[in-house]
């Protein structure tokens, strides 16, 4: 895995437990320190032998990997640039993959330099708990890539579902219009976030209310996904992002997490 955020750390932790060994390549020493703390917490919650998780800033550590997954910020330019660099570090038979949730798989695959050996693995947060992985491929990807990817997902204890290369795939394409509609309903009816979330949890059986879920995802991430999917983003969400109120990770979003 390459990256140091929540998805990268969660996926690396699960891989270490399920596969026995994993490597997480991060950008800097500071990123490595943060990743060690985050993965340590996740590994404590996972059942089974923690395996071996190597966290390093050395991209040459990827040379022996058979599967390399990029899991950095959801920005097309950043992902394309990194995938191009990873092509020079990964072995010839290695599959390159991205955890993108909304970007063009075809463009990422071409940027990787090996579109026939590329896959998109959209895992969900928290990685340790969420079973689904949306799988998407470049048109030139062969059966071997699909079989190896499905085998990896199964070994990680997840269920892979192949989807089309369209913005947002299936889950985000359906989910984010609903989440942003919840924001509009809250504003139109003058409700508090707790009221909207209680209605959807108690009346529709949702495990988490839409406003709490937006905070969990991160409002900046939600805006980026919404723009890719082509859904109208409420002004109140953009204002919160402009204020630096990004949800749980910043201590404030629709809810206050400062305590």
């Amino acid at each position: 895995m390459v990256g140091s955020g929540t998805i990268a750390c969660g996926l690396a932790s699960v891989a270490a437990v399920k596969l026995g060994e994993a490597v997480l390549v991060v950008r800097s020493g500071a990123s490595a320190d943060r990743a060690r703390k985050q993965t340590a917490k996740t590994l404590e919650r996972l059942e089974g032998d923690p395996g071996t998780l190597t966290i390093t800033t050395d991209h040459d550590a990827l040379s022996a990997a058979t599967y390399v997954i990029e899991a950095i910020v959801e920005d097309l330019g950043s992902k394309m640039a990194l995938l191009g660099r990873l092509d020079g570090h990964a072995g010839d038979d290695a599959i390159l993959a991205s955890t993108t949730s909304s970007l063009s798989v075809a463009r990422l695959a071409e940027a990787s330099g090996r579109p026939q050996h590329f896959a998109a693995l959209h895992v969900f947060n928290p990685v340790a708990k969420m079973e689904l992985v949306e799988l998407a491929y470049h048109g030139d990807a062969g059966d071997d890539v699909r079989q190896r990817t499905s085998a990896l997902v199964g070994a990680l204890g997840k269920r892979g579902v192949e989807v089309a290369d369209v913005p947002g795939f299936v889950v985000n394409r359906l989910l984010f219009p609903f989440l942003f509609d919840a924001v509009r309903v809250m504003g139109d009816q003058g409700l508090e976030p707790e009221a909207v979330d209680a209605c959807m949890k108690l009346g529709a059986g949702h495990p988490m209310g839409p406003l709490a879920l937006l905070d969990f995802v991160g409002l900046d991430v939600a805006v980026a996904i919404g723009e890719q999917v082509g859904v109208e983003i409420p002004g109140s969400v953009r204002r919160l992002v402009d204020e630096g109120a990004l949800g749980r990770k910043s201590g404030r979003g629709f809810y206050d997490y400062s305590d």
Side-chain angles (χ1 to χ4, degrees):
M1 265 66 63
V2 182
S4 59
T6 302
I7 294 296
C9 289
L11 193 54
S13 300
V14 170
V17 172
K18 295 294 187 179
L19 307 180
E21 182 179 7
V23 174
L24 178 62
V25 177
V26 300
R27 184 170 53 182
S28 65
S31 296
D33 290 340
R34 290 193 298 270
R36 289 189 184 96
K37 293 177 182 177
Q38 190 165 345
T39 55
K41 292 178 181 178
T42 303
L43 288 169
E44 286 180 0
R45 294 193 294 266
L46 290 169
E47 295 181 359
D49 189 317
T52 301
L53 175 55
T54 301
I55 299 176
T56 178
T57 59
D58 184 5
H59 282 72
D60 288 338
L62 301 172
S63 61
T66 58
Y67 213 106
V68 178
I69 304 173
E70 164 276 310
I72 64 169
V73 63
E74 188 74 349
D75 176 77
L76 182 62
S78 299
K79 285 183 178 290
M80 290 174 66
L82 176 58
L83 287 166
R85 294 196 299 272
L86 293 179
D87 182 40
H89 292 280
D92 292 341
D93 293 331
I95 294 174
L96 291 186
S98 172
T99 59
T100 182
S101 59
S102 60
L103 301 174
S104 167
V105 177
R107 293 188 66 181
L108 294 175
E110 293 294 344
S112 76
R114 51 179 82 188
Q116 300 90 343
H117 286 80
F118 184 87
L121 284 79
H122 178 207
V123 298
F124 294 81
N125 190 32
V127 181
K129 293 183 178 180
M130 301 296 281
E131 182 180 1
L132 176 66
V133 180
E134 289 181 315
L135 307 176
Y137 302 93
H138 187 278
D140 291 338
D143 290 339
D144 176 64
V145 172
R146 286 175 163 81
Q147 290 168 4
R148 288 173 60 187
T149 299
S150 294
L152 173 63
V153 170
L156 292 174
K158 309 296 184 184
R159 178 180 175 183
V161 175
E162 187 168 341
V163 297
D165 178 13
V166 296
F169 302 134
V170 172
V171 172
N172 284 348
R173 198 171 184 85
L174 295 174
L175 176 62
F176 278 85
F178 158 68
L179 295 180
F180 291 138
D181 273 346
V183 176
R184 280 185 280 271
V185 167
M186 179 181 66
D188 292 346
Q189 298 189 20
L191 300 173
E192 295 297 324
E194 292 87 349
V196 176
D197 284 351
C199 287
M200 295 312 297
K201 289 168 64 179
L202 301 177
H206 290 198
M208 181 182 289
L211 287 312
L213 181 54
L214 280 168
D215 277 355
F216 185 77
V217 169
L219 299 186
D220 55 336
V221 175
V223 167
I225 293 173
E227 289 174 344
Q228 289 294 326
V229 173
V231 62
E232 182 182 353
I233 299 165
S236 58
V237 175
R238 292 193 183 274
R239 285 192 292 274
L240 285 170
V241 172
D242 289 343
E243 295 169 6
L246 308 180
R248 285 193 182 188
K249 61 186 175 183
S250 68
R252 181 171 71 90
F254 289 103
Y255 293 89
D256 188 335
Y257 304 93
S258 57
D259 293 338

